[in-house]
Amino acid sequence: MESIGYHERRGELETYFDRTAVEAWARLTSTAPLSRIRATVRAGRDQMRGNLLGWLPSDLTARRVLDAGCGTGALSLEAAQRGAQVLAIDLSPTLTALARERLPARLGLGSIEFRVGDMLDPGLEEFDHVVAMDSLIHYGLSDVLGAVSGLAARTRHSILFTFAPRTPALALMWTVGRLFPRRDRAPAIEPIAEHVLRRRLALEPALEHWRVGRTQRIASGFYKSQALELVRK
Ligand SMILES: C[S@@+](CC[C@H](N)C(=O)[O-])C[C@H]1O[C@@H](n2cnc3c(N)ncnc32)[C@H](O)[C@@H]1O
């Protein structure tokens, strides 16, 4: 059962990632020192980013890549340095501006266009690869399926996305998280069981020509996320 719809959740995320959590997010994605717990999250995220980038062709010259929910742009940067033409889109103008500021002067052969907006905007162009690192974890299962189906229509080769795997440990963290006052809480993460996700992906009409490829779960302290690769058949 899903607690909240796409537009309402998107509004919460925009507020959270553009205001409430901007400083914490800027720090987490920098090289500044962190508490031990947050350092485990940074390490897990670095591992996840490396994993996702490892699932893209090593030579991305002239490939069009959508970094869907780009945040401060670390994944976009590495893809562009491998030659990709990246569209990096995020709901948060503040994080997008920070991502732009963090760009080195030279990107090599690749390029990055930053855009503020919804990664599901039907006006977006076509891409070879779409990567959504931890940008769908706050949406319920049917919104994730809707998002992936919408992205599939504009993707030529692969869609890489992460979800929060529903495991007993995560269910416990989730319950404990509920004890904190609402104002201090990040928008809820919506854990999804892998077998349910796989079954539902297989039933999506828009994904008829897609199959699940690789998957990788990463657990590092408080960071728990699982990557899944969808490839065109
Ligand atoms: C947990 S952060 C991850 C950011 C980045 N992918 C990374 O791994 O560093 C999730 C990001 O997704 C963005 N986001 C969530 N829903 C979005 C949507 N519908 N369209 C564009 N961005 C979205 C948020 O604004 C936030 O910056």
Side-chain angles (χ1 to χ4, degrees), residues 6 9-10 13-14 16-18 25 29 45 49 67-75 89-92 95 117-121 131-139 223:
Y6 179 75
R9 182 46 56 86
R10 188 184 66 183
L13 290 170
E14 186 177 341
Y16 182 72
F17 283 105
D18 199 55
W25 199 254
T29 58
R45 286 176 35 77
R49 192 171 60 254
D67 186 356
C70 62
T72 51
L75 191 140
I89 192 163
D90 201 283
L91 295 173
S92 164
L95 291 185
D118 189 335
M119 61 184 160
L120 302 186
D121 179 346
V131 188
M133 171 164 155
D134 295 344
S135 41
L136 290 172
I137 58 175
H138 297 281
Y139 295 100
Y223 181 80

Side-chain angles (χ1 to χ4, degrees), residues 20-88:
T20 327
V22 160
E23 275 174 35
W25 199 254
R27 193 175 180 91
L28 181 69
T29 58
S30 72
T31 51
L34 290 174
S35 70
R36 266 229 304 254
I37 285 181
R38 286 185 185 209
T40 65
V41 174
R42 181 188 280 164
R45 286 176 35 77
D46 288 348
Q47 233 182 305
M48 178 58 87
R49 192 171 60 254
N51 177 84
L52 293 169
L53 286 160
W55 288 355
L56 294 174
S58 51
D59 182 4
L60 287 170
T61 308
R63 298 283 184 131
R64 303 258 321 140
V65 173
L66 175 67
D67 186 356
C70 62
T72 51
L75 191 140
S76 292
L77 174 59
E78 288 189 46
Q81 284 171 331
R82 278 161 50 185
Q85 317 278 302
V86 182
L87 176 64

Side-chain angles (χ1 to χ4, degrees), residues 174-189:
W174 160 258
T175 315
V176 172
R178 288 261 156 203
L179 301 175
F180 289 109
R182 180 167 275 282
R183 68 176 181 283
D184 294 341
R185 264 196 249 140
I189 287 177

Side-chain angles (χ1 to χ4, degrees), residues 77 80-81 99-112:
L77 174 59
Q81 284 171 331
R100 206 179 274 122
E101 267 170 43
R102 285 184 178 175
L103 279 192
R106 296 167 69 86
L107 275 181
L109 286 178
S111 66
I112 308 180

